[in-house]
Amino acid sequence: MDQQTPAGLNTVDGQIAAAFETDDPSSIAKALGELARTRNMSKLAKDVGMNRSALYRALSGEGNPEFATILKVVKALGLKLTPVPMNNRQSDAA
């Protein structure tokens, strides 16, 4: 049974959401890599059009994957990126 976060997300979803909140590309890649390793990495690599070792490197947190690679990985993991307005943008306009 998956542990639930207060927001109702399972722990893995919460970890990925938290990584995106950091605005740090290496944290995001690493969190996606951790999720990818819980799945079939060979199938995921095939789905995103990369070889397995390149995908491991890209999602290690040490790599520098292209945004297109991140988008492909997100989609292959059954996730979706959805832009939302930042709350503090209203005060920037004043």
mmCIF file of all heavy atoms in Angstrom, residues 13-47:
data_model
loop_
_atom_site.group_PDB
_atom_site.id
_atom_site.type_symbol
_atom_site.label_atom_id
_atom_site.label_comp_id
_atom_site.label_asym_id
_atom_site.label_seq_id
_atom_site.Cartn_x
_atom_site.Cartn_y
_atom_site.Cartn_z
ATOM 1 N N ASP A 13 4.517 10.484 -6.017
ATOM 2 C CA ASP A 13 3.956 11.690 -6.632
ATOM 3 C C ASP A 13 4.340 12.928 -5.833
ATOM 4 O O ASP A 13 4.676 13.962 -6.393
ATOM 5 C CB ASP A 13 2.434 11.608 -6.725
ATOM 6 C CG ASP A 13 1.937 10.567 -7.705
ATOM 7 O OD1 ASP A 13 2.716 10.176 -8.597
ATOM 8 O OD2 ASP A 13 0.775 10.146 -7.576
ATOM 9 N N GLY A 14 4.308 12.806 -4.509
ATOM 10 C CA GLY A 14 4.684 13.923 -3.654
ATOM 11 C C GLY A 14 6.145 14.299 -3.815
ATOM 12 O O GLY A 14 6.500 15.484 -3.807
ATOM 13 N N GLN A 15 7.014 13.289 -3.968
ATOM 14 C CA GLN A 15 8.441 13.551 -4.156
ATOM 15 C C GLN A 15 8.692 14.266 -5.473
ATOM 16 O O GLN A 15 9.509 15.187 -5.545
ATOM 17 C CB GLN A 15 9.242 12.253 -4.095
ATOM 18 C CG GLN A 15 9.299 11.655 -2.711
ATOM 19 C CD GLN A 15 9.884 10.258 -2.700
ATOM 20 O OE1 GLN A 15 9.977 9.591 -3.721
ATOM 21 N NE2 GLN A 15 10.270 9.812 -1.518
ATOM 22 N N ILE A 16 7.992 13.854 -6.509
ATOM 23 C CA ILE A 16 8.156 14.508 -7.815
ATOM 24 C C ILE A 16 7.617 15.932 -7.755
ATOM 25 O O ILE A 16 8.262 16.872 -8.227
ATOM 26 C CB ILE A 16 7.506 13.682 -8.943
ATOM 27 C CG1 ILE A 16 8.315 12.401 -9.136
ATOM 28 C CG2 ILE A 16 7.431 14.479 -10.235
ATOM 29 C CD1 ILE A 16 7.723 11.425 -10.091
ATOM 30 N N ALA A 17 6.460 16.114 -7.142
ATOM 31 C CA ALA A 17 5.903 17.454 -7.002
ATOM 32 C C ALA A 17 6.859 18.351 -6.215
ATOM 33 O O ALA A 17 7.094 19.503 -6.584
ATOM 34 C CB ALA A 17 4.537 17.392 -6.326
ATOM 35 N N ALA A 18 7.443 17.816 -5.140
ATOM 36 C CA ALA A 18 8.387 18.586 -4.336
ATOM 37 C C ALA A 18 9.631 18.946 -5.151
ATOM 38 O O ALA A 18 10.157 20.057 -5.028
ATOM 39 C CB ALA A 18 8.778 17.799 -3.084
ATOM 40 N N ALA A 19 10.088 18.035 -5.986
ATOM 41 C CA ALA A 19 11.256 18.314 -6.835
ATOM 42 C C ALA A 19 10.957 19.452 -7.804
ATOM 43 O O ALA A 19 11.793 20.340 -8.009
ATOM 44 C CB ALA A 19 11.683 17.060 -7.601
ATOM 45 N N PHE A 20 9.768 19.452 -8.394
ATOM 46 C CA PHE A 20 9.403 20.544 -9.303
ATOM 47 C C PHE A 20 9.288 21.872 -8.551
ATOM 48 O O PHE A 20 9.586 22.925 -9.112
ATOM 49 C CB PHE A 20 8.112 20.226 -10.057
ATOM 50 C CG PHE A 20 8.345 19.450 -11.317
ATOM 51 C CD1 PHE A 20 8.321 18.063 -11.309
ATOM 52 C CD2 PHE A 20 8.607 20.089 -12.513
ATOM 53 C CE1 PHE A 20 8.556 17.333 -12.468
ATOM 54 C CE2 PHE A 20 8.840 19.375 -13.684
ATOM 55 C CZ PHE A 20 8.810 17.991 -13.657
ATOM 56 N N GLU A 21 8.888 21.831 -7.294
ATOM 57 C CA GLU A 21 8.792 23.056 -6.492
ATOM 58 C C GLU A 21 10.163 23.689 -6.251
ATOM 59 O O GLU A 21 10.251 24.891 -6.026
ATOM 60 C CB GLU A 21 8.118 22.771 -5.149
ATOM 61 C CG GLU A 21 6.633 22.510 -5.247
ATOM 62 C CD GLU A 21 5.835 23.742 -5.633
ATOM 63 O OE1 GLU A 21 6.185 24.854 -5.186
ATOM 64 O OE2 GLU A 21 4.867 23.602 -6.385
ATOM 65 N N THR A 22 11.235 22.903 -6.316
ATOM 66 C CA THR A 22 12.573 23.444 -6.074
ATOM 67 C C THR A 22 13.072 24.303 -7.230
ATOM 68 O O THR A 22 14.004 25.072 -7.062
ATOM 69 C CB THR A 22 13.612 22.323 -5.864
ATOM 70 O OG1 THR A 22 13.811 21.613 -7.096
ATOM 71 C CG2 THR A 22 13.222 21.380 -4.752
ATOM 72 N N ASP A 23 12.494 24.127 -8.410
ATOM 73 C CA ASP A 23 12.956 24.804 -9.630
ATOM 74 C C ASP A 23 14.388 24.420 -9.986
ATOM 75 O O ASP A 23 15.061 25.134 -10.720
ATOM 76 C CB ASP A 23 12.853 26.330 -9.518
ATOM 77 C CG ASP A 23 11.422 26.824 -9.437
ATOM 78 O OD1 ASP A 23 10.537 26.156 -9.997
ATOM 79 O OD2 ASP A 23 11.188 27.866 -8.804
ATOM 80 N N ASP A 24 14.864 23.303 -9.452
ATOM 81 C CA ASP A 24 16.226 22.832 -9.701
ATOM 82 C C ASP A 24 16.184 21.675 -10.698
ATOM 83 O O ASP A 24 15.673 20.603 -10.371
ATOM 84 C CB ASP A 24 16.865 22.380 -8.392
ATOM 85 C CG ASP A 24 18.245 21.796 -8.593
ATOM 86 O OD1 ASP A 24 19.006 22.323 -9.433
ATOM 87 O OD2 ASP A 24 18.563 20.805 -7.902
ATOM 88 N N PRO A 25 16.694 21.886 -11.918
ATOM 89 C CA PRO A 25 16.630 20.835 -12.940
ATOM 90 C C PRO A 25 17.229 19.498 -12.505
ATOM 91 O O PRO A 25 16.682 18.443 -12.825
ATOM 92 C CB PRO A 25 17.405 21.423 -14.122
ATOM 93 C CG PRO A 25 17.314 22.896 -13.927
ATOM 94 C CD PRO A 25 17.309 23.106 -12.434
ATOM 95 N N SER A 26 18.329 19.520 -11.761
ATOM 96 C CA SER A 26 18.931 18.247 -11.361
ATOM 97 C C SER A 26 18.064 17.519 -10.343
ATOM 98 O O SER A 26 17.981 16.286 -10.362
ATOM 99 C CB SER A 26 20.358 18.436 -10.842
ATOM 100 O OG SER A 26 20.374 19.201 -9.670
ATOM 101 N N SER A 27 17.376 18.238 -9.471
ATOM 102 C CA SER A 27 16.456 17.608 -8.519
ATOM 103 C C SER A 27 15.271 16.983 -9.241
ATOM 104 O O SER A 27 14.815 15.899 -8.881
ATOM 105 C CB SER A 27 15.944 18.627 -7.494
ATOM 106 O OG SER A 27 16.990 19.077 -6.679
ATOM 107 N N ILE A 28 14.783 17.672 -10.255
ATOM 108 C CA ILE A 28 13.657 17.150 -11.043
ATOM 109 C C ILE A 28 14.082 15.888 -11.776
ATOM 110 O O ILE A 28 13.385 14.866 -11.721
ATOM 111 C CB ILE A 28 13.149 18.224 -12.022
ATOM 112 C CG1 ILE A 28 12.548 19.396 -11.238
ATOM 113 C CG2 ILE A 28 12.146 17.632 -13.014
ATOM 114 C CD1 ILE A 28 12.309 20.641 -12.056
ATOM 115 N N ALA A 29 15.226 15.937 -12.440
ATOM 116 C CA ALA A 29 15.717 14.766 -13.176
ATOM 117 C C ALA A 29 15.945 13.589 -12.225
ATOM 118 O O ALA A 29 15.586 12.450 -12.535
ATOM 119 C CB ALA A 29 17.000 15.109 -13.924
ATOM 120 N N LYS A 30 16.522 13.870 -11.073
ATOM 121 C CA LYS A 30 16.795 12.805 -10.102
ATOM 122 C C LYS A 30 15.494 12.181 -9.597
ATOM 123 O O LYS A 30 15.397 10.958 -9.479
ATOM 124 C CB LYS A 30 17.613 13.353 -8.937
ATOM 125 C CG LYS A 30 18.061 12.293 -7.978
ATOM 126 C CD LYS A 30 18.973 12.866 -6.907
ATOM 127 C CE LYS A 30 19.407 11.773 -5.950
ATOM 128 N NZ LYS A 30 20.222 12.320 -4.861
ATOM 129 N N ALA A 31 14.490 12.990 -9.283
ATOM 130 C CA ALA A 31 13.204 12.466 -8.812
ATOM 131 C C ALA A 31 12.543 11.613 -9.893
ATOM 132 O O ALA A 31 11.993 10.541 -9.607
ATOM 133 C CB ALA A 31 12.288 13.609 -8.388
ATOM 134 N N LEU A 32 12.597 12.082 -11.140
ATOM 135 C CA LEU A 32 12.045 11.278 -12.240
ATOM 136 C C LEU A 32 12.829 9.973 -12.389
ATOM 137 O O LEU A 32 12.255 8.920 -12.655
ATOM 138 C CB LEU A 32 12.065 12.071 -13.541
ATOM 139 C CG LEU A 32 11.070 13.228 -13.621
ATOM 140 C CD1 LEU A 32 11.334 14.062 -14.863
ATOM 141 C CD2 LEU A 32 9.634 12.722 -13.604
ATOM 142 N N GLY A 33 14.151 10.047 -12.201
ATOM 143 C CA GLY A 33 14.987 8.853 -12.285
ATOM 144 C C GLY A 33 14.652 7.847 -11.206
ATOM 145 O O GLY A 33 14.623 6.636 -11.452
ATOM 146 N N GLU A 34 14.380 8.334 -9.991
ATOM 147 C CA GLU A 34 14.002 7.431 -8.904
ATOM 148 C C GLU A 34 12.699 6.718 -9.222
ATOM 149 O O GLU A 34 12.565 5.518 -8.986
ATOM 150 C CB GLU A 34 13.911 8.202 -7.588
ATOM 151 C CG GLU A 34 15.273 8.631 -7.076
ATOM 152 C CD GLU A 34 15.213 9.589 -5.900
ATOM 153 O OE1 GLU A 34 14.101 9.877 -5.397
ATOM 154 O OE2 GLU A 34 16.291 10.055 -5.489
ATOM 155 N N LEU A 35 11.732 7.445 -9.773
ATOM 156 C CA LEU A 35 10.479 6.815 -10.175
ATOM 157 C C LEU A 35 10.714 5.841 -11.323
ATOM 158 O O LEU A 35 10.203 4.722 -11.314
ATOM 159 C CB LEU A 35 9.449 7.869 -10.590
ATOM 160 C CG LEU A 35 8.125 7.326 -11.135
ATOM 161 C CD1 LEU A 35 7.447 6.397 -10.124
ATOM 162 C CD2 LEU A 35 7.209 8.463 -11.527
ATOM 163 N N ALA A 36 11.512 6.248 -12.289
ATOM 164 C CA ALA A 36 11.793 5.392 -13.447
ATOM 165 C C ALA A 36 12.423 4.074 -13.019
ATOM 166 O O ALA A 36 12.121 3.017 -13.574
ATOM 167 C CB ALA A 36 12.694 6.121 -14.442
ATOM 168 N N ARG A 37 13.303 4.117 -12.006
ATOM 169 C CA ARG A 37 13.953 2.893 -11.547
ATOM 170 C C ARG A 37 12.982 1.939 -10.864
ATOM 171 O O ARG A 37 13.258 0.756 -10.754
ATOM 172 C CB ARG A 37 15.138 3.224 -10.645
ATOM 173 C CG ARG A 37 16.351 3.675 -11.465
ATOM 174 C CD ARG A 37 17.590 3.882 -10.615
ATOM 175 N NE ARG A 37 17.537 5.110 -9.827
ATOM 176 C CZ ARG A 37 17.736 6.325 -10.298
ATOM 177 N NH1 ARG A 37 17.976 6.503 -11.593
ATOM 178 N NH2 ARG A 37 17.698 7.371 -9.519
ATOM 179 N N THR A 38 11.836 2.430 -10.418
ATOM 180 C CA THR A 38 10.831 1.542 -9.842
ATOM 181 C C THR A 38 9.996 0.870 -10.929
ATOM 182 O O THR A 38 9.225 -0.032 -10.639
ATOM 183 C CB THR A 38 9.880 2.293 -8.873
ATOM 184 O OG1 THR A 38 9.060 3.193 -9.613
ATOM 185 C CG2 THR A 38 10.646 3.013 -7.788
ATOM 186 N N ARG A 39 10.154 1.343 -12.136
ATOM 187 C CA ARG A 39 9.441 0.789 -13.291
ATOM 188 C C ARG A 39 10.421 -0.020 -14.132
ATOM 189 O O ARG A 39 11.564 -0.220 -13.748
ATOM 190 C CB ARG A 39 8.849 1.922 -14.144
ATOM 191 C CG ARG A 39 8.072 2.957 -13.388
ATOM 192 C CD ARG A 39 6.637 2.520 -13.120
ATOM 193 N NE ARG A 39 5.904 3.469 -12.318
ATOM 194 C CZ ARG A 39 5.124 4.423 -12.783
ATOM 195 N NH1 ARG A 39 5.002 4.601 -14.079
ATOM 196 N NH2 ARG A 39 4.477 5.209 -11.954
ATOM 197 N N ASN A 40 10.023 -0.412 -15.289
ATOM 198 C CA ASN A 40 10.885 -1.156 -16.216
ATOM 199 C C ASN A 40 11.706 -0.153 -17.017
ATOM 200 O O ASN A 40 11.217 0.444 -17.977
ATOM 201 C CB ASN A 40 10.007 -2.018 -17.125
ATOM 202 C CG ASN A 40 10.799 -2.866 -18.075
ATOM 203 O OD1 ASN A 40 11.939 -2.546 -18.437
ATOM 204 N ND2 ASN A 40 10.199 -3.954 -18.503
ATOM 205 N N MET A 41 12.955 0.042 -16.614
ATOM 206 C CA MET A 41 13.807 1.059 -17.240
ATOM 207 C C MET A 41 14.048 0.761 -18.719
ATOM 208 O O MET A 41 14.110 1.676 -19.524
ATOM 209 C CB MET A 41 15.131 1.172 -16.489
ATOM 210 C CG MET A 41 15.987 2.327 -16.942
ATOM 211 S SD MET A 41 15.277 3.963 -16.672
ATOM 212 C CE MET A 41 16.095 4.422 -15.173
ATOM 213 N N SER A 42 14.168 -0.511 -19.075
ATOM 214 C CA SER A 42 14.390 -0.858 -20.489
ATOM 215 C C SER A 42 13.194 -0.443 -21.338
ATOM 216 O O SER A 42 13.359 0.123 -22.417
ATOM 217 C CB SER A 42 14.643 -2.357 -20.638
ATOM 218 O OG SER A 42 15.841 -2.712 -20.002
ATOM 219 N N LYS A 43 11.985 -0.708 -20.841
ATOM 220 C CA LYS A 43 10.782 -0.322 -21.587
ATOM 221 C C LYS A 43 10.662 1.199 -21.645
ATOM 222 O O LYS A 43 10.340 1.762 -22.694
ATOM 223 C CB LYS A 43 9.533 -0.921 -20.949
ATOM 224 C CG LYS A 43 8.264 -0.556 -21.720
ATOM 225 C CD LYS A 43 7.037 -1.156 -21.080
ATOM 226 C CE LYS A 43 5.757 -0.843 -21.804
ATOM 227 N NZ LYS A 43 5.632 0.419 -22.459
ATOM 228 N N LEU A 44 10.952 1.859 -20.542
ATOM 229 C CA LEU A 44 10.894 3.315 -20.516
ATOM 230 C C LEU A 44 11.875 3.915 -21.516
ATOM 231 O O LEU A 44 11.530 4.831 -22.261
ATOM 232 C CB LEU A 44 11.189 3.837 -19.103
ATOM 233 C CG LEU A 44 11.081 5.342 -18.926
ATOM 234 C CD1 LEU A 44 9.651 5.821 -19.119
ATOM 235 C CD2 LEU A 44 11.597 5.743 -17.556
ATOM 236 N N ALA A 45 13.092 3.372 -21.557
ATOM 237 C CA ALA A 45 14.099 3.863 -22.509
ATOM 238 C C ALA A 45 13.600 3.706 -23.942
ATOM 239 O O ALA A 45 13.749 4.613 -24.766
ATOM 240 C CB ALA A 45 15.418 3.115 -22.312
ATOM 241 N N LYS A 46 12.982 2.556 -24.215
ATOM 242 C CA LYS A 46 12.435 2.329 -25.558
ATOM 243 C C LYS A 46 11.320 3.339 -25.853
ATOM 244 O O LYS A 46 11.262 3.909 -26.942
ATOM 245 C CB LYS A 46 11.906 0.900 -25.659
ATOM 246 C CG LYS A 46 11.364 0.556 -27.016
ATOM 247 C CD LYS A 46 10.852 -0.874 -27.052
ATOM 248 C CE LYS A 46 10.223 -1.168 -28.393
ATOM 249 N NZ LYS A 46 9.570 -2.477 -28.421
ATOM 250 N N ASP A 47 10.459 3.572 -24.873
ATOM 251 C CA ASP A 47 9.338 4.501 -25.054
ATOM 252 C C ASP A 47 9.799 5.929 -25.339
ATOM 253 O O ASP A 47 9.140 6.660 -26.068
ATOM 254 C CB ASP A 47 8.430 4.510 -23.824
ATOM 255 C CG ASP A 47 7.641 3.221 -23.648
ATOM 256 O OD1 ASP A 47 7.597 2.400 -24.593
ATOM 257 O OD2 ASP A 47 7.082 3.025 -22.545
#
